[in-house]
Amino acid sequence: MEAIANGLILLMLSIGHAELWTSVINRTHALKIHEVYLKRLRHVLELLMVLFPLVLLFAVGLSDPGVLVGGEWSQLPLWWQPILLLCTLGFLGLIYSGVRHQFYRPPRQQTAQESELIHLRERLKQDLIGEGPYHYLAGLPFNEIFSVEFTRKTFQLSRLPEKWEGLTILHLSDLHFSGTLKREYFIELCRIAQEMKPDLIIFAGDLIDRMECLDWLQETLGPMQAPLGRFFILGNHDWNQESLQIRQTLSETGWIDLTAEPVRLQHEGQTLFMAGTEAPWMGKLQDVKLSEDNAADDFLLLVSHTPDNFHWAEREGYDLVLSGHTHGGQVRVPPFGPIFAPSLHGTRYTSGTFFRGSTLLHVSRGVSGIHPLRWFCRPEISLLTLHSADKK
């Protein structure tokens, strides 16, 4: 029995070690580091995750003193103690993340949600896997990449003008055109999204992973329309490509770049102040700070590719923040939830709705990714309906 207990402890320590390096991967992928270097770092860390359990098994479990063969933990060399302590903390961190995931509930500012699941393969009756990078992942069993969740969420916001009751925003993010998923997949998604008839359309970044797919814009985002306009920012994957050309091409289809300068949109006699930030990859946060002449009754909307700018937006007084980037984790491991998330906050803001101070954040799970794999984490397109708070 003691050997079994010690074996379980070694397993716990191995999992904790993997969680520590996963935490490093998550946070380095939130920084302004080119994908070439991130990939090299990730490969090294993934190798360490695989090798450490073997080292632990032989150095601690089987070799003298060998806790799996009758030895005692107290007989280990002292230098093992800080290593095992860190691994234990890593395991406790994973447990904490799992508990937080299980107890997550949307804030009271989200008053309703309903979803419609659309299976694109069945709908289009064709093979939607192309020849792009990692195309083999798209065909793995139980992959949910072709089962897209169209969600309708209702938000109640205290500073929303009463004349804007029922204002709708289509929140799109992370299309990741790479050729791995065929053009027809995205054409149909955009067509279905347009059927929601939103007042305003926002795209929150990560559009192109291969420049050969730039001409897809004419048939996907190009035809989309909304009475109050179509606005966009770019993301870190666009930064890794030819971002200036991507920005220009999307602008030529009629979409408005929110990072060029903030937009003051007049609607029903009230002002919607919209700004966009692609920090830390392109631009700086101070480039989109509110100007001193903003009226106190302006409603303030920030589009930030990463949710890492949420706390900054709350300090600046934004009412609503729309983000993507984290893909909901793409793979969620029951009961722990997402493990990988490119964020300085780890898996805290992978998807959903969050509230701080007077600022509401909505993080989309996005549509695709350079790695076309979704387990327990379906792609998402959201229609957000805004209502003013009860003035009673």
Side-chain angles (χ1 to χ4, degrees):
M1 289 297 294
E2 184 177 357
I4 294 176
N6 287 337
L8 292 175
I9 292 174
L10 291 177
L11 177 61
M12 177 197 75
L13 293 171
S14 297
I15 294 173
H17 172 266
E19 172 66 12
L20 290 175
W21 287 128
T22 300
S23 178
V24 174
I25 292 174
N26 287 340
R27 285 154 179 82
T28 52
H29 280 66
L31 303 176
K32 188 177 181 179
I33 304 174
H34 197 279
E35 175 62 23
V36 171
Y37 304 108
L38 288 175
K39 185 180 294 185
R40 293 173 184 171
L41 174 63
R42 188 169 62 245
H43 289 166
V44 171
L45 297 183
E46 288 170 349
L47 181 61
L48 289 175
M49 291 184 200
V50 173
L51 292 179
F52 182 78
L54 298 176
V55 172
L56 199 62
L57 174 63
F58 287 101
V60 176
L62 299 177
S63 299
D64 186 48
V67 298
L68 294 179
V69 290
E72 299 292 335
W73 291 92
S74 60
Q75 296 175 306
L76 290 171
L78 288 178
W79 54 267
W80 268 108
Q81 293 184 9
I83 297 175
L84 299 182
L85 175 61
L86 286 173
C87 292
T88 301
L89 293 176
F91 184 79
L92 293 176
L94 178 63
I95 296 298
Y96 170 76
S97 297
V99 171
R100 183 180 62 200
H101 174 71
Q102 291 298 321
F103 283 90
Y104 165 79
R105 298 293 183 274
R108 60 179 178 81
Q109 286 76 17
Q110 179 176 315
T111 58
Q113 175 175 335
E114 58 184 36
S115 300
E116 178 185 4
L117 191 61
I118 297 182
H119 301 281
L120 269 295
R121 266 180 165 170
E122 289 80 352
R123 187 184 185 97
L124 295 177
K125 294 181 172 58
Q126 62 177 284
D127 182 18
L128 296 175
I129 303 176
E131 297 298 326
Y134 308 105
H135 62 272
Y136 56 88
L137 293 177
L140 289 178
F142 309 110
N143 193 352
E144 298 173 317
I145 191 67
F146 298 112
S147 299
V148 183
E149 189 174 5
F150 284 79
T151 62
R152 297 175 182 267
K153 301 178 183 180
T154 302
F155 297 154
Q156 191 175 60
L157 300 169
S158 60
R159 284 179 16 92
L160 188 81
E162 293 184 2
K163 291 184 178 180
W164 293 2
E165 280 289 323
L167 182 76
T168 55
I169 302 174
L170 180 67
H171 183 191
L172 278 169
S173 188
D174 297 273
L175 292 178
H176 289 274
F177 294 165
S178 68
T180 302
L181 304 183
K182 290 183 178 179
R183 184 190 316 218
E184 290 77 11
Y185 170 78
F186 297 101
I187 291 174
E188 182 66 10
L189 282 181
C190 291
R191 190 192 68 76
I192 297 172
Q194 181 65 63
E195 291 178 350
M196 295 182 174
K197 300 187 185 316
D199 297 313
L200 179 70
I201 303 177
I202 298 290
F203 177 71
D206 273 1
L207 178 58
I208 301 291
D209 276 313
R210 293 176 70 194
M211 292 303 294
E212 294 89 337
C213 300
L214 191 60
D215 62 353
W216 292 15
L217 292 177
Q218 291 295 335
E219 297 177 272
T220 54
L221 295 179
M224 301 185 75
Q225 298 292 333
L228 298 182
R230 304 165 294 167
F231 300 87
F232 78 94
I233 64 170
L234 299 182
N236 58 302
H237 281 251
D238 304 304
W239 172 66
N240 282 304
Q241 301 297 320
E242 298 175 33
S243 60
L244 291 178
Q245 187 177 350
I246 296 170
R247 196 181 305 277
Q248 178 180 348
T249 303
L250 188 52
S251 297
E252 288 172 352
T253 66
W255 285 71
I256 299 172
D257 182 3
L258 281 176
T259 60
E261 60 180 356
V263 173
R264 296 175 66 90
L265 184 66
Q266 298 297 321
H267 178 55
E268 299 289 347
Q270 300 289 330
T271 302
L272 173 60
F273 180 95
M274 290 187 290
T277 177
E278 298 158 351
W281 302 281
M282 294 176 283
K284 298 179 180 179
L285 286 174
Q286 55 261 38
D287 292 340
V288 295
K289 279 190 176 180
L290 305 181
S291 60
E292 295 181 358
D293 62 349
N294 282 334
D297 58 350
D298 285 358
F299 186 83
L300 311 179
L301 170 63
L302 178 71
V303 185
S304 169
H305 180 59
T306 173
D308 285 352
N309 297 323
F310 176 35
H311 294 207
W312 174 86
E314 185 266 328
R315 292 193 298 271
E316 291 293 308
Y318 284 95
D319 297 289
L320 180 61
V321 181
L322 303 181
S323 295
H325 181 56
T326 50
H327 301 186
Q330 284 199 208
V331 173
R332 295 183 174 182
V333 181
F336 300 105
I339 304 297
F340 291 98
S343 170
L344 295 174
H345 299 280
T347 59
R348 183 177 181 183
Y349 299 123
T350 50
S351 66
T353 311
F354 307 88
F355 189 76
R356 280 178 61 91
S358 60
T359 303
L360 189 71
L361 166 70
H362 181 255
V363 185
S364 171
R365 295 195 301 272
V367 171
S368 187
I370 188 63
H371 299 93
L373 182 63
R374 297 275 182 149
W375 281 332
F376 301 102
C377 185
R378 290 187 173 97
E380 176 184 39
I381 294 176
S382 299
L383 184 72
L384 312 177
T385 301
L386 310 185
H387 292 284
S388 59
D390 190 355
K391 302 298 183 181
K392 294 181 182 179

